[in-house]
Amino acid sequence: MDGDITYLTLQGLAVGSLYGMIALGVVLIYKTSEVLNFAHGNMGMFITFCCYTLMEKHMPRIIVAVNSFSGGGGGIEGGLPLTLAFILILVIIFISAFILGAAIEFFTLRPITKWKVILFIAATLAGCIFFLIRSNMPAFYSCLIFFIFFVIEFFTMGPAKEPTQLGLIVVTIGLWLALDGVASSRFGTQDHALPNPMGPENFKMIAFWNIEVSQLDLIILVITALLIVLLFFFFRFSKVGTAMRATSQVESAARLMGIKTKRIFALTWGMSSVLGAIAGILTAAKFYLNTNTMLFPFLKAFAAATMGGLTSLPGAIIGGWILGITENLFGFYVSMDLKTPFAFLVIVIVLCIRPSGLLARHYVKKV
């Protein structure tokens, strides 16, 4: 029984760490720009599908390239070239995730400027040319797509000179649905298993002091610990981290002190997108990859972030751990069907006692 409790606790801790990683991305954006990003989960899902495509279709060619670069050694199925190719794919994916997050912040959440319109038109034109070359699409349809995007930009995004916080939240919900639609049409709605070396057959059970633990759960816990340490040193000791903390406290004062707050917002969205990509890849490795892979983890992560305090990065991780362990223990000992409602009941009780969350400060306005 003790072994069961320890095993279930470690398993819940690993699942809670995934919630915590997703919650970190949500809190990072909310803390800096006060925008609740409801598209965060689907951003991670979309990037994970890009990672899956690279691993499924291009991994052999990347391994051959790595082999030729390193002078041979190792095969397609395993060895150092496979590891190096996987690391190279992760680097490409994380850079792409950062660009996606920064681009979303730039194109959809900032007030319209002349340069933004020019970049939007240039990006749309480049996309039309790409599709024209890759799919032999008639020039008429490419011009039609360009015209449609230009009209969308002019009539819907152009008037949003000073969007409200509620408007920005609606924009993120629109992004959520748009990413879901694109992923469904491009990748389908069936389940996908990540290929080697992230496939489920690659992770075995290992034993410590008669307690069995999944290798993947250990990897998730180690990555979570590394992210916590990395973020702590980044925000505590780096100039960019200090600028992000200053921007999150009083944006106008940070701007007066010479901090380029718009760049800070783009950087925040990029970092949040990378966190979503890491969580998405690990979630797909633990379960399966489909268009709903990040739906429930995101909802639970959002609840965990609220319980921990929407402005507290440590609170996001702790909230995720509490939620993961609670639902895992309750699901095993009481009812699997009621584990999620019970976990949310715990969150409601915590928020009744501490409305601002476990680690967020509760400000009392004096009148």
Side-chain angles (χ1 to χ4, degrees):
M1 183 65 74
D2 291 341
D4 287 343
I5 290 178
T6 309
Y7 169 74
L8 290 170
T9 303
L10 286 174
Q11 199 177 42
L13 200 62
V15 174
S17 296
L18 292 176
Y19 300 157
M21 279 187 219
I22 303 169
L24 276 178
V26 175
V27 170
L28 203 59
I29 290 178
Y30 182 77
K31 188 177 172 68
T32 307
S33 57
E34 296 186 351
V35 175
L36 289 172
N37 180 20
F38 285 95
H40 183 67
N42 273 6
M43 287 166 63
M45 176 271 295
F46 188 79
I47 290 294
T48 304
F49 264 117
C50 295
C51 181
Y52 166 79
T53 304
L54 277 179
M55 295 173 70
E56 181 73 14
K57 296 184 177 179
H58 303 290
M59 180 73 93
R61 278 188 282 179
I62 296 174
I63 291 177
V64 171
V66 171
N67 260 326
S68 61
F69 182 77
S70 61
I76 296 293
E77 297 299 329
L80 184 61
L82 176 64
T83 306
L84 291 177
F86 179 60
I87 292 173
L88 180 61
I89 287 176
L90 286 183
V91 171
I92 294 171
I93 287 299
F94 293 153
I95 292 174
S96 303
F98 185 89
I99 293 173
L100 174 67
I104 286 176
E105 192 277 335
F106 183 82
F107 284 113
T108 64
L109 299 177
R110 289 191 190 185
I112 297 296
T113 62
K114 179 179 69 177
W115 286 108
K116 182 179 171 182
V117 173
I118 292 173
L119 279 174
F120 183 85
I121 294 173
T124 306
L125 189 59
C128 290
I129 293 173
F130 175 78
F131 280 111
L132 182 64
I133 295 172
R134 291 297 302 270
S135 63
N136 296 321
M137 183 184 292
F140 170 75
Y141 292 110
S142 296
C143 294
L144 181 62
I145 292 174
F146 171 75
F147 178 74
I148 291 172
F149 273 86
F150 180 79
V151 169
I152 291 172
E153 163 70 22
F154 188 83
F155 285 103
T156 62
M157 299 170 64
K161 300 291 185 185
E162 295 294 338
T164 62
Q165 294 298 322
L166 182 60
L168 295 178
I169 290 173
V170 172
V171 168
T172 66
I173 294 175
L175 285 170
W176 173 4
L177 298 175
L179 289 171
D180 186 68
V182 171
S184 297
S185 62
R186 178 66 182 80
F187 304 106
T189 54
Q190 68 274 23
D191 291 338
H192 303 270
L194 288 183
N196 192 22
M198 291 299 288
E201 70 279 1
N202 294 288
F203 301 108
K204 311 296 182 188
M205 299 296 290
I206 54 178
F208 292 103
W209 298 286
N210 296 325
I211 300 170
E212 287 194 334
V213 185
S214 164
Q215 286 179 334
L216 181 58
D217 287 346
L218 279 181
I219 291 173
I220 292 171
L221 292 174
V222 170
I223 290 175
T224 305
L226 289 175
L227 284 176
I228 292 171
V229 173
L230 192 64
L231 287 174
F232 172 78
F233 281 100
F234 175 77
F235 284 108
R236 185 70 178 82
F237 297 107
S238 73
K239 288 184 179 178
V240 179
T242 305
M244 290 176 75
R245 282 194 291 137
T247 305
S248 69
Q249 292 174 1
V250 186
E251 181 196 345
S252 56
R255 196 165 51 242
L256 289 173
M257 295 298 291
I259 296 174
K260 298 185 184 303
T261 54
K262 290 183 179 178
R263 293 184 184 178
I264 293 296
F265 290 149
L267 178 65
T268 305
W269 275 77
M271 289 175 59
S272 171
S273 183
V274 172
L275 287 170
I278 296 172
I281 293 170
L282 291 173
T283 303
K286 188 167 180 62
F287 305 105
Y288 281 96
L289 176 61
N290 57 45
T291 51
N292 290 324
T293 292
M294 296 294 282
L295 177 59
F296 284 103
F298 170 73
L299 293 176
K300 292 178 181 178
F302 190 80
T306 306
M307 179 169 62
L310 267 175
T311 57
S312 170
L313 292 174
I317 290 289
I318 292 173
W321 285 341
I322 292 175
L323 186 60
I325 293 171
T326 302
E327 71 170 11
N328 215 39
L329 291 176
F330 188 87
F332 183 81
Y333 288 108
V334 182
S335 169
M336 189 62 74
D337 295 332
L338 295 177
K339 70 173 189 178
T340 300
F342 178 76
F344 277 89
L345 177 64
V346 172
I347 293 174
V348 170
I349 294 172
V350 171
L351 291 178
C352 287
I353 299 171
R354 287 187 63 84
S356 298
L358 290 173
L359 299 185
R361 293 180 180 177
H362 183 67
Y363 295 98
V364 179
K365 186 175 181 180
K366 295 181 179 179
V367 293

